[in-house]
Amino acid sequence: MKRKWWKEAVAYQIYPRSFMDSNGDGIGDLQGILSKLDYLQDLGVDVIWICPVYPSPNDDNGYDISDFKGIMSEFGTMEDFDELLNEIHKRGMRLIMDLVINHTSDEHPWFIESKSSKDNPYRDFYIWLPGKDGKEPNNWASIFEGSAWASFDGHRNQQGIQTYLEELKDRTFSRYDIMTVGEANGVSVDEANEWVGEKDGKFNMIFQFEHTDLWGKEGKKSLDIHTLKRIFTKWQTALDGSGWNALFLENHDLPRSVSVWGNDEKYHTASSKCLAAFYFLMQGTPFIYQGQEIGMTNVHFPTIDDYDDVAAKNLYQYETASGKSHEKVMEAIWHCGRDNSRTPMQWSAEKNAGFTSGTPWIKVNPNNKQLNVEESMARSGSIYHFYKQLIQLRKDHPALIYGSFQLELPEHDQIFAYSRNFKGETFVVMANLTETHAPTEAFGKDYASELYLSNYEEAALEETVLQPFETRVFQLKGTLI
Ligand code: CA
């Protein structure tokens, strides 16, 4: 396997609108990001990915782009962008821009041209079909609930996409020493080679979403660990030696992992750390979503008016119109709505979490009083410090980057365990992903081992039981006792 800087990197995703506001208008911006670069560098981040900052009518919070070459005035100017890029490079970090090229805003000049007449040269940039009896031409659903027609061209992997991606790779990607990652919802492991294969792939890595489907909708709380094991083992094994994974649990479209797979009350710290170790040390480049490093949680706003997300608003309208109660629909939005990950970054216990001196575009999660960066940095043993340790551990041990992946304890109902092997070094990661004690034959008990990381006091560790959401990372020393 080839060594590459982007395989060794740790990435951090920023949702600019909610990260840091520099001018008090309630909207996060480029100067806000700039003011937090030292924080990110100190955490150990190598690569910063910022969600779209291009001009947009904001029907889908910046993912509906009307000009791919500009900076939206809410976020700043092109000079701000140049300064941000420069300051990132100065710190030895790199920047990933979010290139949304499979759909545009309905205010993009191409779309305006395309809809202007049937013989316009831009006509076939979009899909147009005549309506039937004054209604939509068919029942295609939008990815955001409701009809796909009228407002958005859908996200679908159209036939022929590889031809376009090949061209993009040849003419752009392959000319620079850059890192590329594709959001490839719906790509199966059998197709992985043409997406991320070292030779034929178009990207260095892709986000695959199979495991996030296990979040479940409508209050499904318990995690299907056996399916989770099957999915990760499949991707880890398929790409070993031939491609590369992008590892993530959270992003701007997903709920907070600690609230869905962990327990954000009784085991907030333990489960945040357990989930972190579980995904972070597999083979691939780990991504941290803003706030994940302090265990930010889902939010429970009481009314739909407190929400901004187009998907949540459409869902509410659709479900209440078809007879569901307000309470039932809100429960679903609390559980898996996209705004769970879009509330402002919680920097401090101050008003508006230190995110803005004005009125934030979306309310702050009220738990910022206890849960914030300032508090987490000041306290040893916090989730923040655990992430820092994880990042350092991964940087110190090539086995945790390049090592092959082997699922351990495959039949266990509670514990997700795996080993990483590289040039005679073996690391083992164990994570009890449930809130009950998990008895196990101590893995590797016949070998001497060195514990590198755990989320319970070392004195409290038992040899054959993992406590609720306990995780351990250790190295096998290879000598029989
Ligand atoms: Ca601002």
Side-chain angles (χ1 to χ4, degrees), residues 20-29 74-75:
M20 183 65 201
D21 174 26
S22 71
N23 62 353
D25 68 354
I27 296 170
D29 44 51
E74 286 178 326
F75 291 138

Side-chain angles (χ1 to χ4, degrees), residues 7 24 36 40 103 116 151 187 329 347 368 370 390 414 433:
K7 291 180 180 176
K36 297 295 183 186
L40 296 175
H103 62 286
S116 67
S151 55
V187 170
V329 186
W347 295 107
N368 81 291
Q370 311 84 44
L390 265 180
Q414 295 169 274
L433 295 177

